[in-house]
Amino acid sequence: MSQIELTAPLTGIMVPIEQVPDPVFAKKMVGEGFSIDPLSNELIAPVAGEVADVQPSGHAVTVRSAEGLEVLMHIGLDTVKMQGEGFTPAVKEGDHVEVGDLLVTFDLDTVATHAKSLLTQVVIANSDRISGIEPREGLVTAGQDVAAQVDLAEQAEGGAAVGGRTVTSEALLVPNPTGLHARPTATLVNLAKKFTSDIRLRRGDDSANAKSMVGIMGLAVARGDKIVITATGPDAEDAIAQISDGVRTGLGEDCPPITTDDTGPVPAVDEAELEPEPEPEATGPRSGDPNLLLGVSASPGLGVGTVLQLRHDDIHVEEFGEDHHKERRKLNAAIDRSILDLSALQNRLEKESDPDKAAIFAAHAELLSDPDLLDLAVSAIDKGKSAPYAWRGAFNTYADRLAGLKNEVLAGRANDVRDVGQRVLEELTGQRSEKPELAEGTILIAEDLTPSDTAQLDRTKVVGFATTNGGASSHVAIIARSLDIPAVAGIEGRALEIADGAKVVLDGSKGTLQQNLSDAEIESILGRQQRMAERKAREESHKDEPAITTDGHQIKVVANIGGVEDAQDSQTRGAEGVGLLRSEFVFLGRTKAPTEDEQAQVYADCARALAPGQPLVIRTLDVGGDKPLPYLPIPAEENPFLGIRGVRVGLEKPEVLRAQCRAIMKAADAGAELNVMFPMIATIDDWRNTKRIWDEEYAKLGATTHVPVGIMMEVPSVAVMAKQFAAEEGCEFFSVGTNDLTSYTLAMDRGHPKLAAQVDPCNPAILALIGNACDALHEHGKWLGICGGVASDPQAVPILVGLGVDELSCSIPAIPSIKAQVRAYSLDHCKELAAQAVRCATPAEVRALVPMDED
């Protein structure tokens, strides 16, 4: 590993990048670096190299060093809107500069008066090329002091930093009828990836990595927009030639010609020029019965009632606005009010011990700071659109892009974007979505419900709902289960044609909806509903009895919790301990990280809420690029599902993990038997590095109480290598997170509107992985539990028992029924079912092995 030095490009006071009042820089979305509060008005080169980019407004310059580092210097915040006023660039693209050469002169007073801040950011735009950066503190003098030491990342064999010449294309007009949307963008990205050169696409002041689909789509390049492609590397010339040709010919799309010149206005696209979307082919009922509609179980239970089709009315907005400054202030105020509403909702749900729902709305608040979403809206406002019109277009465009991406994690967030977008739109316009009049016994049907819709359902009137989109592990399904509302996701589209007032029966356990039933059939089903209620009452009356099979094999049934009140509640529902404490709840809803002692107090309180000697398994902090914390900035990632999340955050920022380990150790004598498990372990090195941190802190603290340490098995590599992991010294148990394990194994996101219905943990592939892991652990005298959603699924219980699972960690309301299900079978029968299940071909065949009794 080698280092390079960045000389101070300005005289001023060094400021940590995390303290910059702009989430794009503070969360390191642009890259690693530092900020300077300037005392001088001349920006000079911090390294020798080539000027790779000078923004047209002169407020930002990028210098590419000989090592290939792209050092971006951005003078002030929101200075692009000054349109060059106060900035005088001294260089142009392609110029060679030495350390200390003048780059830009700027007027301090003008920038201070018109910009959001004078803070000037210096970041490594291609931070994947570095392993670390150490900025200095205090006052630095331009051209004299070293502002930061940068550690270059080791290059893989044959992967030296890209050198060679820089080639820039001519200005290209995008001919695609709807701009660079998903399909042409994918073509462009795949074309760019054929070359080793660094390739960037620029539109005006904005630029993106041409090998990043999400990055390009974030530019919102429309038909007729002018773009420039820049490539640096050994094959730069070929790259520019082929990509330029691809753009001109439409990147695989048939494009009507653009007849404007480079400076003239871009003509509007005639709607007649656009190819109409093909009509979907008509399909018959999936069940073969026109009165039986199939979906997937999102929340168990039986609902008998009348249909109400839920459709959101469009809010009327004016297209054009007043002065764009006023429109931006309106938007900012509406966003601020929405964030306050979401914060209040999050806090209320946390107090109600509903961490799953609280975390959902914390993520919604985070979406309102998404720079790509805000840029889309601001760009439209600056073109004269009203704030409501611009905002509605921005969040719908953003949601549509996400829904169309192959990246299933991003696609699954489209519904959340629409939910939070609608919230802000209502704030902007004062037009609140009218809540439908609900009669008792209502069954809602919709294309989709938002998390906000679901959280506000009146449980006294809504007896169930079905959506054509979503899946069993979506945010909406999580909320439905917490409210104990039967729900079916992914129902056939013809459900939207059922008339309001029609009598239907929704079976959340089977994932079905029946219509056109006779009165006799309705009476029969109501009788079944009554028997189910009686069975539930029987299960409740035996909730404190152990879960022992008919031939004497005991399974420990414990709870998944998110806080102290959950721990207390679990004891009233028959829980024999806690199999998953989501420690994120200690970190959420705060402006700074909890102290070690604050954490220890909460863990001890949870332990004291349980009966002495019961297990309490604490999962260490499970956040990441898809759900960052404001005080734990994690760079935005193209695919956060495969990025820095779970224990990888702890290994990246070990001070956070070490503090949490010490806090758990301090709570070890509070009463319950503490266990700790680490999420997102994927390799033996992950485990060994994490366990080393635990052991080091245990020794430093002088702890004497043994705390068993284990792995959350949610990455297929752990299941495949279960024998090697089970043999590791100090690894005492596995707890299977079936939600992520299923998604990773099937390469499907459980929130994806088109794929969620297929994400079923009763897939034989998942069951085989669990069975193999059980065998591996039992050979070493260790145990395996399930803490994912399938542990609360009565149909899965006997199969899991037969596979060798030792512990089932359930949602609190499910504990009595899961215990009862264990008692209904012999271990031998469970083993027979498990052996059949892993030989099945589909989840449906597996579930058919365990029919659910009506009474």
Side-chain angles (χ1 to χ4, degrees):
M1 185 183 300
S2 59
Q3 284 189 332
I4 67 170
E5 296 179 344
L6 295 184
T7 301
L10 288 165
T11 297
I13 307 298
M14 294 286 289
V15 176
I17 195 76
E18 295 87 352
Q19 295 179 15
V20 173
D22 185 319
V24 175
F25 288 106
K27 293 183 180 180
K28 302 180 182 178
M29 297 175 185
V30 181
E32 295 278 352
F34 54 92
S35 184
I36 298 178
D37 195 355
L39 300 175
S40 64
N41 69 333
E42 291 187 342
L43 181 75
I44 64 173
V47 290
E50 182 181 25
V51 177
D53 180 66
V54 179
Q55 289 292 293
S57 54
H59 71 291
V61 179
T62 301
V63 175
R64 184 180 292 108
S65 74
E67 296 82 6
L69 294 189
E70 295 180 354
V71 184
L72 166 66
M73 289 147 283
H74 190 287
I75 303 169
L77 296 174
D78 285 351
T79 41
V80 66
K81 299 172 184 62
M82 295 173 64
Q83 299 182 337
E85 182 183 1
F87 297 96
T88 306
V91 292
K92 62 182 184 300
E93 285 182 26
D95 284 353
H96 181 82
V97 293
E98 297 294 337
V99 175
D101 283 356
L102 180 64
L103 300 176
V104 179
T105 302
F106 58 100
D107 189 311
L108 278 168
D109 290 338
T110 301
V111 177
T113 303
H114 293 85
K116 180 179 178 181
S117 170
L118 265 173
L119 286 175
T120 295
Q121 288 56 249
V122 182
V123 297
I124 309 299
N126 52 348
S127 288
D128 56 320
R129 292 178 175 271
I130 68 172
S131 61
I133 182 169
E134 295 181 30
R136 63 169 291 176
E137 298 177 353
L139 176 68
V140 290
T141 302
Q144 297 181 22
D145 296 327
V146 174
Q149 296 272 4
V150 179
D151 295 326
L152 299 177
E154 292 181 350
Q155 300 292 325
E157 186 176 43
V162 174
R165 59 181 299 212
T166 297
V167 181
T168 301
S169 74
E170 63 183 23
L172 304 166
L173 290 178
V174 173
N176 303 73
T178 51
L180 294 186
H181 62 97
R183 286 189 296 275
T185 297
T187 302
L188 193 155
V189 168
N190 287 328
L191 187 57
K193 285 181 176 177
K194 290 168 50 180
F195 303 97
T196 59
S197 294
D198 287 336
I199 306 172
R200 298 195 69 79
L201 181 151
R202 192 178 78 232
R203 189 208 61 180
D205 287 347
D206 300 320
S207 67
N209 184 342
K211 298 177 183 179
S212 165
M213 184 168 176
V214 175
I216 293 174
M217 291 181 65
L219 297 179
V221 178
R223 171 178 165 85
D225 278 359
K226 202 183 305 181
I227 63 172
V228 173
I229 312 291
T230 302
T232 301
D235 51 7
E237 193 163 346
D238 286 342
I240 292 300
Q242 291 192 37
I243 295 173
S244 297
D245 186 62
V247 172
R248 291 190 198 97
T249 56
L251 294 166
E253 288 193 324
D254 291 330
C255 303
I258 291 180
T259 56
T260 181
D261 60 33
D262 285 356
T263 58
V266 177
V269 180
D270 186 343
E271 291 297 324
E273 294 177 344
L274 303 182
E275 290 187 16
E277 289 289 329
E279 290 292 327
E281 294 182 13
T283 57
R286 295 206 305 255
S287 65
D289 179 353
N291 293 318
L292 178 63
L293 289 76
L294 303 182
V296 295
S297 171
S299 180
L302 192 64
V304 180
T306 55
V307 165
L308 177 63
Q309 294 283 352
L310 188 62
R311 299 179 177 90
H312 287 291
D313 294 330
D314 284 339
I315 291 177
H316 174 72
V317 299
E318 296 293 336
E319 180 174 356
F320 299 102
E322 302 178 60
D323 174 78
H324 70 100
H325 295 295
K326 291 182 180 179
E327 296 300 320
R328 290 192 63 182
R329 285 196 292 271
K330 288 179 187 176
L331 178 59
N332 290 338
I335 289 174
D336 288 344
R337 291 195 298 273
S338 297
I339 289 174
L340 286 174
D341 289 344
L342 289 166
S343 178
L345 181 57
Q346 177 192 347
N347 291 335
R348 177 171 66 80
L349 293 172
E350 285 172 350
K351 289 177 182 176
E352 292 174 1
S353 295
D354 213 334
D356 284 329
K357 284 197 285 184
I360 289 168
F361 292 106
H364 279 201
E366 189 68 30
L367 276 174
L368 288 178
S369 298
D370 188 289
D372 288 346
L373 177 59
L374 298 177
D375 283 350
L376 285 173
V378 169
S379 176
I381 288 173
D382 288 345
K383 293 173 182 174
K385 305 299 184 184
S386 71
Y389 185 91
W391 176 253
R392 186 178 66 182
F395 79 75
N396 280 327
T397 297
Y398 195 63
D400 289 344
R401 287 177 184 165
L402 292 178
L405 293 179
K406 293 180 181 179
N407 179 326
E408 288 113 5
V409 175
L410 295 176
R413 297 190 73 185
N415 194 31
D416 292 315
V417 171
R418 291 192 177 97
D419 189 1
V420 77
Q422 189 73 13
R423 181 185 292 272
V424 174
L425 189 59
E426 291 179 2
E427 287 287 347
L428 271 170
T429 62
Q431 302 175 49
R432 306 291 174 179
S433 297
E434 290 202 18
K435 305 299 180 186
E437 287 292 326
L438 298 177
E440 289 189 10
T442 292
I443 290 180
L444 296 174
I445 298 180
E447 287 187 7
D448 218 334
L449 292 178
T450 66
S452 294
D453 291 332
T454 315
Q456 297 172 42
L457 290 179
D458 184 346
R459 184 65 184 90
T460 64
K461 295 181 178 179
V462 177
V463 296
F465 68 82
T467 62
T468 57
N469 293 329
S473 301
S474 67
H475 285 167
V476 169
I478 290 170
I479 295 173
R481 288 193 291 272
S482 74
L483 295 173
D484 199 21
I485 296 179
V488 176
I491 197 75
E492 295 173 59
R494 56 197 180 97
L496 299 173
E497 300 169 6
I498 301 175
D500 285 346
K503 277 192 173 182
V504 297
V505 174
L506 182 141
D507 191 329
S509 303
K510 294 181 178 179
T512 62
L513 182 75
Q514 287 182 279
Q515 60 177 334
N516 297 326
L517 295 170
S518 66
D519 289 342
E521 288 172 317
I522 293 285
E523 280 299 315
S524 173
I525 289 170
L526 288 172
R528 177 187 165 201
Q529 192 176 38
Q530 178 61 34
R531 292 192 297 274
M532 289 173 67
E534 292 170 355
R535 181 178 68 182
K536 187 173 182 179
R538 287 197 304 272
E539 292 169 351
E540 288 285 340
S541 69
H542 294 280
K543 62 183 170 55
D544 294 319
E545 298 174 12
I548 301 176
T549 62
T550 57
D551 48 359
H553 180 70
Q554 184 166 355
I555 299 295
K556 191 176 289 292
V557 180
V558 292
N560 293 337
I561 69 169
V564 178
E565 293 181 13
D566 273 0
Q568 295 166 341
D569 186 28
S570 73
Q571 294 295 285
T572 69
R573 304 301 296 272
E576 298 168 327
V578 167
L580 170 62
L581 168 61
R582 304 177 184 92
S583 67
E584 299 82 62
F585 85 99
V586 186
F587 294 79
L588 290 171
R590 306 173 61 104
T591 58
K592 61 180 182 178
T595 66
E596 184 179 315
D597 288 340
E598 285 174 331
Q599 291 187 61
Q601 182 64 50
V602 175
Y603 304 147
D605 289 344
C606 289
R608 282 189 283 266
L610 305 182
Q614 284 189 340
L616 170 60
V617 181
I618 301 174
R619 180 180 69 189
T620 58
L621 182 63
D622 189 13
V623 295
D626 55 335
K627 44 180 178 178
L629 297 171
Y631 50 84
L632 190 63
I634 299 167
E637 298 174 300
E638 187 172 330
N639 192 343
F641 201 51
L642 301 178
I644 305 299
R645 65 191 299 248
V647 78
R648 297 170 186 171
V649 176
L651 294 174
E652 184 94 356
K653 300 183 182 295
E655 68 281 0
V656 176
L657 179 58
R658 289 180 183 277
Q660 188 170 26
C661 289
R662 292 192 299 271
I664 293 170
M665 294 169 194
K666 289 180 178 179
D669 295 320
E673 180 187 296
L674 258 62
N675 297 249
V676 63
M677 64 177 173
F678 301 108
M680 280 295 291
I681 295 288
T683 66
I684 292 290
D685 283 340
D686 284 347
W687 162 253
R688 290 175 180 172
N689 291 334
T690 307
K691 182 60 164 57
R692 184 180 67 252
I693 288 175
W694 172 268
D695 291 342
E696 288 172 357
E697 296 307 315
Y698 191 88
K700 288 179 188 175
L701 199 63
T704 55
T705 301
H706 175 64
V707 177
V709 182
I711 292 171
M712 191 167 180
M713 187 180 100
E714 50 194 332
V715 179
S717 58
V718 173
V720 172
M721 292 179 58
K723 288 187 176 181
Q724 292 94 317
F725 279 97
E728 282 290 298
E729 183 179 354
C731 177
E732 300 182 54
F733 66 92
F734 282 7
S735 185
V736 184
T738 51
N739 296 345
D740 275 344
L741 180 64
T742 305
S743 289
Y744 283 126
T745 302
L746 302 180
M748 296 179 184
D749 176 52
R750 58 185 181 269
H752 193 286
K754 295 182 180 178
L755 300 175
Q758 303 176 55
V759 184
D760 189 335
C762 281
N763 188 296
I766 310 305
L767 299 177
L769 291 176
I770 293 172
N772 290 340
C774 286
D775 293 343
L777 286 165
H778 293 164
E779 284 179 16
H780 292 270
K782 300 174 181 180
W783 62 273
L784 180 142
I786 304 282
C787 63
V790 76
S792 303
D793 185 339
Q795 279 187 293
V797 166
I799 294 171
L800 296 174
V801 171
L803 290 171
V805 170
D806 304 288
E807 176 192 272
L808 296 170
S809 191
C810 316
S811 64
I812 294 172
I815 291 170
S817 66
I818 297 304
K819 280 186 161 185
Q821 189 74 339
V822 173
R823 298 188 199 108
Y825 290 84
S826 69
L827 179 59
D828 285 341
H829 189 189
C830 290
K831 289 180 177 179
E832 291 172 7
L833 289 173
Q836 294 177 57
V838 296
R839 292 196 298 269
C840 286
T842 68
E845 291 178 11
V846 172
R847 291 189 178 278
L849 298 173
V850 189
M852 294 303 296
D853 295 331
E854 295 186 2
D855 54 3

